[in-house]
Amino acid sequence: MKYAVTSRGDEVSNSLCDKIKKYLNEFGLTYDKDQPDIVITVGGDGTLLHAFHHYKHCLETTAFVGIHTGHLGFYADWKPEEVEKLVIHISKTPYQIVEYPLLEVIVRHYDDESPERFLALNECTVKTLEGSLVCNVEIKGDTFETFRGDGLCISTPSGSTAYNKALGGAILHPSLASIQISEMASINNRVYRTVGSPLVLPQHHTCLLKPLNDVDMRITIDHLSLVHKQVKTIQCRVAEEKIRFARFRPFPFWKRVKESFVGE
Ligand code: NAD
């Protein structure tokens, strides 16, 4: 089996990575940073987000597992002191794969025929560089509302505990192939009206954002942030691709939610 290890880059995470490499090599696994069967991330959720984007070309064959060297993460749920146990699991036992849905984002520009396609593990956010975001929101081909406010967040179920949660969105179990649209400070008065509640769309229901003012847009995909000019539409839906997590022990999603937000 081929493996790769990625680190957040701090001293603790780096030395844990070295330890993991040493153990896995001793167990006869092959280090392959280009086409690994399993990617072990050491750091936090951000490290796993980075690894996901690095390995998005081989999602079908690669599984991820995360170790946290800071606080308990949603994707990084193994503790540093469990490394020996994890390494033995990886080398000796066939592991279960759990798949989580991803978000597909397609950005089309007025001045360019070729659309840009992105995959997000957590979410896509749409804001403007200056002033309010004004855009038509279409759902499944029908106009739903005109949004005016700070921006919109479209998240995956596993991303629902991240930015989406801070916006008052619901926490969704990742077995629900869906996306959630949540508002950032929408303007609601006699002139502008939005639904005001987060919306959850099932697979195959597309959400299309059509900016109405010609301003530069800041579109984020997880930790990545890009400025787009002349944006015609931003199309969001559940992606065909999925992320695969290697599971070695049960750690139910709701237990992670409880431990992260309610307390142990
Ligand atoms: P970061 O270092 O600012 O970390 C943000 C925090 O989000 C970390 O504590 C991380 O553990 C947590 N996090 C990441 N994914 C999560 C998930 N799926 N569920 C629960 N918590 C999660 O930034 P980063 O590490 O580069 O991560 C980027 C993410 O930060 C974005 O995808 C976005 O979700 C999140 N973010 C949140 C807010 C907010 O809550 N107001 C604002 C901006 C970005």
Side-chain angles (χ1 to χ4, degrees):
M1 187 165 58
K2 295 172 293 169
Y3 75 94
V5 194
T6 66
S7 166
R8 178 166 52 201
D10 57 286
E11 222 171 282
V12 174
S13 305
N14 287 347
S15 76
L16 205 55
C17 279
D18 292 342
K19 200 166 155 185
I20 293 168
K21 273 191 200 169
K22 186 173 159 287
Y23 285 152
L24 288 178
N25 292 345
E26 280 170 11
F27 279 127
L29 273 74
T30 313
Y31 182 76
D32 182 340
K33 72 173 178 38
D34 298 321
Q35 291 280 337
D37 300 308
I38 188 160
V39 176
I40 304 137
T41 68
V42 184
D45 287 331
T47 321
L48 203 135
L49 285 174
H50 277 80
F52 162 73
H53 284 275
H54 186 80
Y55 290 105
K56 59 178 185 283
H57 61 282
C58 53
L59 291 178
E60 265 182 42
T61 52
T62 301
F64 295 83
V65 61
I67 302 170
H68 60 89
T69 48
H71 63 86
L72 168 72
F74 265 81
Y75 302 121
D77 54 11
W78 283 81
K79 297 185 196 122
E81 53 270 29
E82 295 176 308
V83 152
E84 281 83 1
K85 201 162 95 184
L86 178 63
V87 163
I88 293 169
H89 274 311
I90 293 174
S91 351
K92 306 275 180 208
T93 49
Y95 48 83
Q96 204 191 332
I97 295 287
V98 181
E99 293 185 331
Y100 280 6
L102 298 169
L103 165 71
E104 179 195 70
V105 180
I106 296 175
V107 182
R108 294 187 172 82
H109 300 88
Y110 280 106
D111 55 354
D112 191 355
E113 289 301 302
S114 49
E116 287 180 274
R117 181 176 186 268
F118 304 94
L119 279 183
L121 173 55
N122 268 354
E123 77 283 291
C124 162
T125 67
V126 181
K127 298 176 191 172
T128 52
L129 280 193
E130 274 180 62
S132 302
L133 168 71
V134 188
C135 71
N136 272 345
V137 180
E138 276 183 20
I139 296 177
K140 234 183 143 215
D142 289 325
T143 300
F144 182 77
E145 66 184 11
T146 300
F147 176 88
R148 192 177 186 106
D150 282 2
L152 287 164
C153 171
I154 301 95
S155 69
T156 64
S158 62
S160 67
T161 46
Y163 204 160
N164 167 76
K165 184 176 181 295
L167 297 168
I171 297 179
L172 292 189
H173 193 278
S175 60
L176 301 165
S178 52
I179 57 170
Q180 181 168 186
I181 309 164
S182 42
E183 300 180 352
M184 297 177 197
S186 57
I187 301 171
N188 269 289
N189 52 32
R190 281 159 173 251
V191 187
Y192 305 111
R193 186 131 312 272
T194 62
V195 67
S197 303
L199 301 177
V200 178
L201 306 192
Q203 214 163 9
H204 310 305
H205 286 204
T206 301
C207 160
L208 194 70
L209 309 180
K210 290 184 171 170
L212 296 178
N213 47 353
D214 179 18
V215 288
D216 295 348
M217 307 283 230
R218 179 171 296 285
I219 301 177
T220 67
I221 303 289
D222 299 334
H223 56 287
L224 307 162
S225 172
L226 278 175
V227 174
H228 293 254
K229 290 178 184 295
Q230 298 263 306
V231 177
K232 193 172 167 190
T233 58
I234 301 156
Q235 179 187 303
C236 299
R237 64 180 172 200
V238 178
E240 294 276 325
E241 298 92 327
K242 289 183 173 175
I243 183 168
R244 302 161 76 241
F245 289 101
R247 196 161 84 179
F248 302 96
R249 59 167 181 210
F251 192 0
F253 179 73
W254 296 119
K255 192 161 189 271
R256 247 175 303 164
V257 172
K258 178 175 179 272
E259 285 185 18
S260 298
F261 300 118
V262 187
E264 286 176 43

mmCIF file of all heavy atoms in Angstrom, residues 159-202:
data_model
loop_
_atom_site.group_PDB
_atom_site.id
_atom_site.type_symbol
_atom_site.label_atom_id
_atom_site.label_comp_id
_atom_site.label_asym_id
_atom_site.label_seq_id
_atom_site.Cartn_x
_atom_site.Cartn_y
_atom_site.Cartn_z
ATOM 1 N N GLY A 159 -19.178 20.418 5.928
ATOM 2 C CA GLY A 159 -18.799 21.815 6.142
ATOM 3 C C GLY A 159 -19.847 22.574 6.950
ATOM 4 O O GLY A 159 -19.641 23.734 7.313
ATOM 5 N N SER A 160 -20.975 21.910 7.230
ATOM 6 C CA SER A 160 -22.057 22.622 7.930
ATOM 7 C C SER A 160 -21.660 22.999 9.356
ATOM 8 O O SER A 160 -22.259 23.881 9.956
ATOM 9 C CB SER A 160 -23.350 21.796 7.930
ATOM 10 O OG SER A 160 -23.207 20.627 8.703
ATOM 11 N N THR A 161 -20.630 22.342 9.905
ATOM 12 C CA THR A 161 -20.174 22.669 11.259
ATOM 13 C C THR A 161 -19.110 23.774 11.244
ATOM 14 O O THR A 161 -18.622 24.164 12.299
ATOM 15 C CB THR A 161 -19.589 21.403 11.932
ATOM 16 O OG1 THR A 161 -18.720 20.755 10.997
ATOM 17 C CG2 THR A 161 -20.668 20.448 12.364
ATOM 18 N N ALA A 162 -18.746 24.252 10.053
ATOM 19 C CA ALA A 162 -17.711 25.282 9.932
ATOM 20 C C ALA A 162 -18.368 26.669 9.746
ATOM 21 O O ALA A 162 -19.207 27.074 10.554
ATOM 22 C CB ALA A 162 -16.761 24.911 8.786
ATOM 23 N N TYR A 163 -18.032 27.372 8.699
ATOM 24 C CA TYR A 163 -18.536 28.738 8.465
ATOM 25 C C TYR A 163 -20.069 28.775 8.517
ATOM 26 O O TYR A 163 -20.689 29.661 9.126
ATOM 27 C CB TYR A 163 -18.045 29.216 7.093
ATOM 28 C CG TYR A 163 -17.956 30.715 6.904
ATOM 29 C CD1 TYR A 163 -17.151 31.248 5.899
ATOM 30 C CD2 TYR A 163 -18.664 31.595 7.713
ATOM 31 C CE1 TYR A 163 -17.047 32.620 5.715
ATOM 32 C CE2 TYR A 163 -18.574 32.969 7.532
ATOM 33 C CZ TYR A 163 -17.763 33.469 6.524
ATOM 34 O OH TYR A 163 -17.679 34.816 6.337
ATOM 35 N N ASN A 164 -20.696 27.774 7.893
ATOM 36 C CA ASN A 164 -22.154 27.702 7.858
ATOM 37 C C ASN A 164 -22.776 27.803 9.250
ATOM 38 O O ASN A 164 -23.781 28.475 9.449
ATOM 39 C CB ASN A 164 -22.563 26.384 7.179
ATOM 40 C CG ASN A 164 -24.021 26.050 7.359
ATOM 41 O OD1 ASN A 164 -24.883 26.622 6.717
ATOM 42 N ND2 ASN A 164 -24.313 25.131 8.273
ATOM 43 N N LYS A 165 -22.142 27.140 10.215
ATOM 44 C CA LYS A 165 -22.683 27.136 11.585
ATOM 45 C C LYS A 165 -22.631 28.535 12.179
ATOM 46 O O LYS A 165 -23.564 28.978 12.851
ATOM 47 C CB LYS A 165 -21.921 26.143 12.461
ATOM 48 C CG LYS A 165 -22.501 26.030 13.850
ATOM 49 C CD LYS A 165 -21.802 24.983 14.659
ATOM 50 C CE LYS A 165 -22.420 24.872 16.044
ATOM 51 N NZ LYS A 165 -22.227 26.101 16.847
ATOM 52 N N ALA A 166 -21.527 29.251 11.880
ATOM 53 C CA ALA A 166 -21.392 30.612 12.405
ATOM 54 C C ALA A 166 -22.450 31.544 11.809
ATOM 55 O O ALA A 166 -22.758 32.596 12.378
ATOM 56 C CB ALA A 166 -19.989 31.138 12.087
ATOM 57 N N LEU A 167 -23.019 31.151 10.678
ATOM 58 C CA LEU A 167 -24.045 31.976 10.023
ATOM 59 C C LEU A 167 -25.463 31.553 10.431
ATOM 60 O O LEU A 167 -26.443 32.008 9.843
ATOM 61 C CB LEU A 167 -23.894 31.876 8.500
ATOM 62 C CG LEU A 167 -22.577 32.417 7.927
ATOM 63 C CD1 LEU A 167 -22.418 32.013 6.472
ATOM 64 C CD2 LEU A 167 -22.504 33.936 8.076
ATOM 65 N N GLY A 168 -25.550 30.647 11.379
ATOM 66 C CA GLY A 168 -26.872 30.195 11.833
ATOM 67 C C GLY A 168 -27.442 29.063 11.012
ATOM 68 O O GLY A 168 -28.631 28.738 11.124
ATOM 69 N N GLY A 169 -26.609 28.442 10.188
ATOM 70 C CA GLY A 169 -27.068 27.302 9.385
ATOM 71 C C GLY A 169 -27.228 26.068 10.256
ATOM 72 O O GLY A 169 -26.690 26.005 11.366
ATOM 73 N N ALA A 170 -27.947 25.094 9.734
ATOM 74 C CA ALA A 170 -28.155 23.848 10.483
ATOM 75 C C ALA A 170 -26.954 22.927 10.316
ATOM 76 O O ALA A 170 -26.225 23.029 9.327
ATOM 77 C CB ALA A 170 -29.405 23.148 9.968
ATOM 78 N N ILE A 171 -26.769 22.055 11.298
ATOM 79 C CA ILE A 171 -25.734 21.028 11.165
ATOM 80 C C ILE A 171 -26.382 19.830 10.477
ATOM 81 O O ILE A 171 -27.405 19.321 10.920
ATOM 82 C CB ILE A 171 -25.163 20.620 12.543
ATOM 83 C CG1 ILE A 171 -24.468 21.843 13.187
ATOM 84 C CG2 ILE A 171 -24.202 19.451 12.408
ATOM 85 C CD1 ILE A 171 -23.872 21.584 14.558
ATOM 86 N N LEU A 172 -25.790 19.430 9.348
ATOM 87 C CA LEU A 172 -26.344 18.311 8.572
ATOM 88 C C LEU A 172 -25.452 17.091 8.679
ATOM 89 O O LEU A 172 -24.227 17.218 8.610
ATOM 90 C CB LEU A 172 -26.435 18.686 7.087
ATOM 91 C CG LEU A 172 -27.423 19.751 6.677
ATOM 92 C CD1 LEU A 172 -27.507 19.801 5.164
ATOM 93 C CD2 LEU A 172 -28.800 19.459 7.248
ATOM 94 N N HIS A 173 -26.060 15.940 8.803
ATOM 95 C CA HIS A 173 -25.273 14.704 8.827
ATOM 96 C C HIS A 173 -24.703 14.455 7.424
ATOM 97 O O HIS A 173 -25.422 14.600 6.427
ATOM 98 C CB HIS A 173 -26.156 13.522 9.247
ATOM 99 C CG HIS A 173 -25.349 12.320 9.580
ATOM 100 N ND1 HIS A 173 -24.875 11.464 8.618
ATOM 101 C CD2 HIS A 173 -24.879 11.869 10.771
ATOM 102 C CE1 HIS A 173 -24.158 10.518 9.206
ATOM 103 N NE2 HIS A 173 -24.143 10.738 10.504
ATOM 104 N N PRO A 174 -23.417 14.093 7.329
ATOM 105 C CA PRO A 174 -22.801 13.929 5.999
ATOM 106 C C PRO A 174 -23.342 12.758 5.175
ATOM 107 O O PRO A 174 -22.937 12.586 4.034
ATOM 108 C CB PRO A 174 -21.314 13.713 6.310
ATOM 109 C CG PRO A 174 -21.135 14.192 7.693
ATOM 110 C CD PRO A 174 -22.428 13.959 8.406
ATOM 111 N N SER A 175 -24.260 11.976 5.722
ATOM 112 C CA SER A 175 -24.871 10.936 4.884
ATOM 113 C C SER A 175 -25.951 11.545 3.979
ATOM 114 O O SER A 175 -26.466 10.874 3.087
ATOM 115 C CB SER A 175 -25.477 9.836 5.751
ATOM 116 O OG SER A 175 -26.470 10.394 6.577
ATOM 117 N N LEU A 176 -26.297 12.813 4.223
ATOM 118 C CA LEU A 176 -27.316 13.483 3.401
ATOM 119 C C LEU A 176 -26.626 14.180 2.229
ATOM 120 O O LEU A 176 -25.973 15.214 2.416
ATOM 121 C CB LEU A 176 -28.086 14.519 4.236
ATOM 122 C CG LEU A 176 -28.814 13.966 5.464
ATOM 123 C CD1 LEU A 176 -29.227 15.086 6.406
ATOM 124 C CD2 LEU A 176 -30.030 13.161 5.023
ATOM 125 N N ALA A 177 -26.757 13.622 1.048
ATOM 126 C CA ALA A 177 -26.125 14.222 -0.132
ATOM 127 C C ALA A 177 -26.875 15.514 -0.454
ATOM 128 O O ALA A 177 -27.943 15.495 -1.075
ATOM 129 C CB ALA A 177 -26.172 13.262 -1.301
ATOM 130 N N SER A 178 -26.354 16.623 0.009
ATOM 131 C CA SER A 178 -27.087 17.884 -0.079
ATOM 132 C C SER A 178 -26.127 19.064 0.023
ATOM 133 O O SER A 178 -24.947 18.889 0.358
ATOM 134 C CB SER A 178 -28.092 17.958 1.079
ATOM 135 O OG SER A 178 -27.414 17.718 2.292
ATOM 136 N N ILE A 179 -26.654 20.247 -0.263
ATOM 137 C CA ILE A 179 -25.897 21.479 -0.018
ATOM 138 C C ILE A 179 -26.801 22.439 0.751
ATOM 139 O O ILE A 179 -28.030 22.333 0.673
ATOM 140 C CB ILE A 179 -25.397 22.156 -1.333
ATOM 141 C CG1 ILE A 179 -26.561 22.470 -2.283
ATOM 142 C CG2 ILE A 179 -24.325 21.310 -2.004
ATOM 143 C CD1 ILE A 179 -26.167 23.338 -3.478
ATOM 144 N N GLN A 180 -26.185 23.337 1.492
ATOM 145 C CA GLN A 180 -26.962 24.287 2.292
ATOM 146 C C GLN A 180 -26.562 25.715 1.913
ATOM 147 O O GLN A 180 -25.369 26.016 1.821
ATOM 148 C CB GLN A 180 -26.693 24.039 3.780
ATOM 149 C CG GLN A 180 -27.453 24.954 4.698
ATOM 150 C CD GLN A 180 -27.404 24.509 6.166
ATOM 151 O OE1 GLN A 180 -28.050 25.084 6.989
ATOM 152 N NE2 GLN A 180 -26.647 23.493 6.493
ATOM 153 N N ILE A 181 -27.576 26.556 1.689
ATOM 154 C CA ILE A 181 -27.312 27.958 1.361
ATOM 155 C C ILE A 181 -27.640 28.772 2.612
ATOM 156 O O ILE A 181 -28.767 28.709 3.116
ATOM 157 C CB ILE A 181 -28.224 28.442 0.210
ATOM 158 C CG1 ILE A 181 -28.151 27.478 -0.985
ATOM 159 C CG2 ILE A 181 -27.873 29.861 -0.217
ATOM 160 C CD1 ILE A 181 -29.284 27.676 -1.984
ATOM 161 N N SER A 182 -26.658 29.522 3.105
ATOM 162 C CA SER A 182 -26.964 30.393 4.247
ATOM 163 C C SER A 182 -26.574 31.831 3.922
ATOM 164 O O SER A 182 -25.628 32.080 3.161
ATOM 165 C CB SER A 182 -26.307 29.892 5.532
ATOM 166 O OG SER A 182 -25.006 29.465 5.295
ATOM 167 N N GLU A 183 -27.328 32.736 4.512
ATOM 168 C CA GLU A 183 -27.149 34.160 4.197
ATOM 169 C C GLU A 183 -26.152 34.818 5.139
ATOM 170 O O GLU A 183 -26.055 34.434 6.301
ATOM 171 C CB GLU A 183 -28.497 34.886 4.368
ATOM 172 C CG GLU A 183 -29.601 34.371 3.486
ATOM 173 C CD GLU A 183 -30.904 35.144 3.710
ATOM 174 O OE1 GLU A 183 -30.985 35.972 4.658
ATOM 175 O OE2 GLU A 183 -31.840 34.928 2.932
ATOM 176 N N MET A 184 -25.451 35.810 4.615
ATOM 177 C CA MET A 184 -24.612 36.659 5.465
ATOM 178 C C MET A 184 -25.259 38.038 5.472
ATOM 179 O O MET A 184 -25.248 38.735 4.455
ATOM 180 C CB MET A 184 -23.202 36.805 4.872
ATOM 181 C CG MET A 184 -22.439 35.510 4.794
ATOM 182 S SD MET A 184 -20.856 35.818 4.005
ATOM 183 C CE MET A 184 -20.410 34.156 3.583
ATOM 184 N N ALA A 185 -25.826 38.391 6.590
ATOM 185 C CA ALA A 185 -26.394 39.724 6.801
ATOM 186 C C ALA A 185 -27.198 40.237 5.605
ATOM 187 O O ALA A 185 -26.827 41.218 4.958
ATOM 188 C CB ALA A 185 -25.269 40.712 7.152
ATOM 189 N N SER A 186 -28.313 39.571 5.329
ATOM 190 C CA SER A 186 -29.155 40.029 4.211
ATOM 191 C C SER A 186 -29.900 41.297 4.609
ATOM 192 O O SER A 186 -30.258 41.488 5.778
ATOM 193 C CB SER A 186 -30.157 38.937 3.833
ATOM 194 O OG SER A 186 -30.929 38.587 4.952
ATOM 195 N N ILE A 187 -30.106 42.173 3.631
ATOM 196 C CA ILE A 187 -30.882 43.392 3.874
ATOM 197 C C ILE A 187 -32.342 43.035 3.622
ATOM 198 O O ILE A 187 -32.695 42.549 2.548
ATOM 199 C CB ILE A 187 -30.418 44.533 2.931
ATOM 200 C CG1 ILE A 187 -28.940 44.818 3.159
ATOM 201 C CG2 ILE A 187 -31.278 45.780 3.127
ATOM 202 C CD1 ILE A 187 -28.324 45.774 2.142
ATOM 203 N N ASN A 188 -33.159 43.223 4.640
ATOM 204 C CA ASN A 188 -34.584 42.936 4.483
ATOM 205 C C ASN A 188 -35.382 44.161 4.894
ATOM 206 O O ASN A 188 -35.360 44.566 6.059
ATOM 207 C CB ASN A 188 -34.975 41.731 5.340
ATOM 208 C CG ASN A 188 -34.831 40.441 4.553
ATOM 209 O OD1 ASN A 188 -35.610 40.178 3.638
ATOM 210 N ND2 ASN A 188 -33.827 39.658 4.888
ATOM 211 N N ASN A 189 -36.076 44.763 3.920
ATOM 212 C CA ASN A 189 -36.921 45.927 4.187
ATOM 213 C C ASN A 189 -38.060 45.939 3.161
ATOM 214 O O ASN A 189 -38.331 44.917 2.540
ATOM 215 C CB ASN A 189 -36.081 47.218 4.152
ATOM 216 C CG ASN A 189 -35.272 47.323 2.864
ATOM 217 O OD1 ASN A 189 -35.701 46.850 1.821
ATOM 218 N ND2 ASN A 189 -34.106 47.948 2.942
ATOM 219 N N ARG A 190 -38.681 47.090 2.924
ATOM 220 C CA ARG A 190 -39.810 47.131 1.979
ATOM 221 C C ARG A 190 -39.379 46.832 0.549
ATOM 222 O O ARG A 190 -40.164 46.388 -0.269
ATOM 223 C CB ARG A 190 -40.421 48.529 1.976
ATOM 224 C CG ARG A 190 -41.314 48.792 3.137
ATOM 225 C CD ARG A 190 -41.411 50.289 3.286
ATOM 226 N NE ARG A 190 -42.389 50.625 4.294
ATOM 227 C CZ ARG A 190 -43.566 51.169 4.007
ATOM 228 N NH1 ARG A 190 -43.898 51.412 2.772
ATOM 229 N NH2 ARG A 190 -44.403 51.467 4.980
ATOM 230 N N VAL A 191 -38.123 47.099 0.270
ATOM 231 C CA VAL A 191 -37.649 46.958 -1.119
ATOM 232 C C VAL A 191 -37.014 45.592 -1.360
ATOM 233 O O VAL A 191 -37.260 44.963 -2.383
ATOM 234 C CB VAL A 191 -36.619 48.071 -1.446
ATOM 235 C CG1 VAL A 191 -36.254 48.060 -2.920
ATOM 236 C CG2 VAL A 191 -37.153 49.430 -1.015
ATOM 237 N N TYR A 192 -36.193 45.160 -0.414
ATOM 238 C CA TYR A 192 -35.469 43.906 -0.601
ATOM 239 C C TYR A 192 -36.009 42.849 0.348
ATOM 240 O O TYR A 192 -36.238 43.127 1.523
ATOM 241 C CB TYR A 192 -33.965 44.107 -0.344
ATOM 242 C CG TYR A 192 -33.381 45.197 -1.176
ATOM 243 C CD1 TYR A 192 -32.957 46.390 -0.605
ATOM 244 C CD2 TYR A 192 -33.276 45.051 -2.564
ATOM 245 C CE1 TYR A 192 -32.435 47.398 -1.376
ATOM 246 C CE2 TYR A 192 -32.767 46.053 -3.340
ATOM 247 C CZ TYR A 192 -32.347 47.234 -2.745
ATOM 248 O OH TYR A 192 -31.836 48.232 -3.513
ATOM 249 N N ARG A 193 -36.194 41.664 -0.178
ATOM 250 C CA ARG A 193 -36.720 40.591 0.669
ATOM 251 C C ARG A 193 -36.071 39.262 0.298
ATOM 252 O O ARG A 193 -36.007 38.892 -0.870
ATOM 253 C CB ARG A 193 -38.241 40.496 0.490
ATOM 254 C CG ARG A 193 -38.883 39.526 1.422
ATOM 255 C CD ARG A 193 -40.095 40.056 2.178
ATOM 256 N NE ARG A 193 -39.909 41.355 2.790
ATOM 257 C CZ ARG A 193 -39.421 41.561 4.014
ATOM 258 N NH1 ARG A 193 -39.015 40.547 4.740
ATOM 259 N NH2 ARG A 193 -39.329 42.778 4.503
ATOM 260 N N THR A 194 -35.570 38.589 1.337
ATOM 261 C CA THR A 194 -35.031 37.245 1.121
ATOM 262 C C THR A 194 -35.741 36.307 2.086
ATOM 263 O O THR A 194 -36.396 36.758 3.032
ATOM 264 C CB THR A 194 -33.512 37.182 1.419
ATOM 265 O OG1 THR A 194 -33.306 37.505 2.788
ATOM 266 C CG2 THR A 194 -32.728 38.130 0.536
ATOM 267 N N VAL A 195 -35.560 35.019 1.873
ATOM 268 C CA VAL A 195 -36.277 34.041 2.698
ATOM 269 C C VAL A 195 -35.813 34.120 4.159
ATOM 270 O O VAL A 195 -36.578 33.844 5.083
ATOM 271 C CB VAL A 195 -36.130 32.622 2.095
ATOM 272 C CG1 VAL A 195 -34.700 32.117 2.183
ATOM 273 C CG2 VAL A 195 -37.064 31.622 2.748
ATOM 274 N N GLY A 196 -34.542 34.464 4.367
ATOM 275 C CA GLY A 196 -34.042 34.673 5.732
ATOM 276 C C GLY A 196 -33.676 33.398 6.480
ATOM 277 O O GLY A 196 -33.114 33.467 7.570
ATOM 278 N N SER A 197 -33.973 32.248 5.923
ATOM 279 C CA SER A 197 -33.627 30.970 6.572
ATOM 280 C C SER A 197 -32.633 30.224 5.693
ATOM 281 O O SER A 197 -32.692 30.337 4.474
ATOM 282 C CB SER A 197 -34.858 30.064 6.690
ATOM 283 O OG SER A 197 -35.859 30.694 7.376
ATOM 284 N N PRO A 198 -31.774 29.426 6.300
ATOM 285 C CA PRO A 198 -30.901 28.588 5.483
ATOM 286 C C PRO A 198 -31.740 27.585 4.682
ATOM 287 O O PRO A 198 -32.777 27.119 5.175
ATOM 288 C CB PRO A 198 -30.029 27.863 6.505
ATOM 289 C CG PRO A 198 -30.171 28.642 7.767
ATOM 290 C CD PRO A 198 -31.530 29.256 7.741
ATOM 291 N N LEU A 199 -31.312 27.296 3.473
ATOM 292 C CA LEU A 199 -32.038 26.338 2.623
ATOM 293 C C LEU A 199 -31.168 25.111 2.400
ATOM 294 O O LEU A 199 -29.968 25.249 2.147
ATOM 295 C CB LEU A 199 -32.345 26.957 1.255
ATOM 296 C CG LEU A 199 -33.169 28.238 1.218
ATOM 297 C CD1 LEU A 199 -33.296 28.718 -0.232
ATOM 298 C CD2 LEU A 199 -34.554 27.997 1.812
ATOM 299 N N VAL A 200 -31.772 23.948 2.443
ATOM 300 C CA VAL A 200 -31.033 22.714 2.171
ATOM 301 C C VAL A 200 -31.556 22.121 0.861
ATOM 302 O O VAL A 200 -32.755 21.881 0.730
ATOM 303 C CB VAL A 200 -31.199 21.703 3.328
ATOM 304 C CG1 VAL A 200 -30.456 20.405 3.012
ATOM 305 C CG2 VAL A 200 -30.679 22.300 4.637
ATOM 306 N N LEU A 201 -30.662 21.957 -0.094
ATOM 307 C CA LEU A 201 -31.056 21.413 -1.400
ATOM 308 C C LEU A 201 -30.557 19.985 -1.549
ATOM 309 O O LEU A 201 -29.415 19.687 -1.190
ATOM 310 C CB LEU A 201 -30.460 22.225 -2.554
ATOM 311 C CG LEU A 201 -30.686 23.731 -2.622
ATOM 312 C CD1 LEU A 201 -30.266 24.243 -3.998
ATOM 313 C CD2 LEU A 201 -32.119 24.099 -2.361
ATOM 314 N N PRO A 202 -31.390 19.122 -2.110
ATOM 315 C CA PRO A 202 -30.944 17.747 -2.327
ATOM 316 C C PRO A 202 -30.050 17.640 -3.567
ATOM 317 O O PRO A 202 -29.897 18.615 -4.319
ATOM 318 C CB PRO A 202 -32.250 16.997 -2.536
ATOM 319 C CG PRO A 202 -33.170 18.006 -3.123
ATOM 320 C CD PRO A 202 -32.777 19.334 -2.553
#
